[in-house]
Amino acid sequence: YVALLRKSDGGVVREWIGSEEGVFFNCISIGGKLYAVGGTEVGVNRYGVIYVFDGNLNVLARIKSEDPSGYTSLAYDGKAVYLAGWAEEDVNRDGRKERVWLVEKIEKRALETSSFPERNSKRIYFDSWKEGWIHDIGVEPSTGRIWAVGFYKDPKHGLEFSTLIVIFDGDLRELRRIDYPPGSEGHLGTLYGIAFDGRYVYISGSDGVAKFSTDGELVAINRDGKKRP
């Protein structure tokens, strides 16, 4: 479901209701077009899906992921669209697949002209990984680097989720992995959002908010209203 609202009063101008079972998690506007990402159910599996709409919510393109997965967020750097979410991978080779981090890069033009666009895909996980996914992704404007934030679960840390941030270059080469397990200085539980002001990076999580330099150094953290250096 997608709705076009009036900027002046929030009234509904137009609605789009899809025919397949699924959900949208996030959307962005690029050049007068709307890009929405989420997941669609196919049998017992869910696949990541991205829709491209024009300004009147007519569908211009629909692209489904190649493997079972889900897209939760997306970002644009002026040339390419970066999709983030989760994919399935048998990390510990026990015959059961776990959800791992997924980042994909697709050229904007390819999204609009092909049902099977070429994509650069990256999966992130550890050997003891149990589950995890990305909740948000963004482009840091002063460096052009791609930041992804979310969580992962590791059996050695019990039932608590670990905080994870990964910084990529524009070709999805991993530049830095910032891992905060439970009890560490930067642990904020599950990370949900990210914002930039050109000088710093701000990240929100289930246990608070944090401020980072554009190189990934922790500057400040606030948990439950108490600021800590």
Side-chain angles (χ1 to χ4, degrees):
Y1 173 82
V2 180
L4 174 65
L5 308 180
R6 278 191 299 272
K7 185 177 180 179
S8 59
D9 60 6
V12 176
V13 176
R14 190 170 289 106
E15 296 175 303
W16 177 87
I17 300 175
S19 59
E20 60 186 308
E21 183 177 352
V23 61
F24 286 128
F25 288 108
N26 213 328
C27 63
I28 59 174
S29 177
I30 306 172
K33 298 174 183 177
L34 181 71
Y35 296 71
V37 296
T40 182
E41 306 295 334
V42 180
V44 297
N45 293 316
R46 171 174 283 185
Y47 290 83
V49 65
I50 177 168
Y51 274 77
V52 183
F53 299 89
D54 67 14
N56 293 312
L57 298 188
N58 297 305
V59 177
L60 302 177
R62 174 192 178 276
I63 296 95
K64 183 173 72 69
S65 64
E66 299 171 349
D67 301 311
S69 59
Y71 298 136
T72 56
S73 187
L74 72 167
Y76 179 59
D77 68 355
K79 295 181 180 179
V81 176
Y82 298 85
L83 309 175
W86 56 266
E88 294 186 357
E89 186 90 16
D90 185 3
V91 176
N92 54 13
R93 301 175 181 83
D94 64 354
R96 293 179 296 178
K97 292 185 176 181
E98 290 78 33
R99 289 186 174 183
V100 302
W101 277 34
L102 172 68
V103 181
E104 292 187 338
K105 174 185 177 180
I106 305 177
E107 296 297 325
K108 174 178 172 288
R109 183 172 181 179
L111 273 175
E112 300 171 348
T113 59
S114 173
S115 297
F116 302 96
E118 182 178 348
R119 64 191 77 192
N120 181 1
S121 185
K122 181 88 171 183
R123 298 187 182 194
I124 301 289
Y125 56 88
F126 311 132
D127 289 339
S128 57
W129 186 285
K130 184 63 178 175
E131 69 168 315
W133 58 84
I134 302 170
H135 278 128
D136 203 7
I137 191 170
V139 181
E140 201 288 306
S142 69
T143 62
R145 294 170 181 164
I146 313 302
W147 286 59
V149 300
F151 78 97
Y152 74 94
K153 188 175 182 181
D154 190 321
K156 67 185 179 184
H157 298 144
L159 299 177
E160 286 193 77
F161 292 141
S162 294
T163 295
L164 186 60
I165 303 164
V166 179
I167 306 173
F168 305 92
D169 68 10
D171 292 319
L172 297 188
R173 289 185 287 260
E174 188 175 331
L175 302 177
R176 185 167 184 178
R177 186 179 299 192
I178 306 169
D179 179 16
Y180 290 122
S184 62
E185 62 169 347
H187 182 255
L188 287 175
T190 299
L191 298 181
Y192 289 106
I194 187 166
F196 311 95
D197 67 2
R199 297 179 60 216
Y200 296 100
V201 181
Y202 303 87
I203 293 172
S204 62
S206 57
D207 295 343
V209 294
K211 176 181 179 180
F212 289 83
S213 71
T214 57
D215 292 325
E217 295 298 323
L218 181 62
V219 176
I221 191 166
N222 188 319
R223 299 187 188 92
D224 301 326
K226 296 180 179 180
K227 186 177 180 181
R228 304 177 187 180

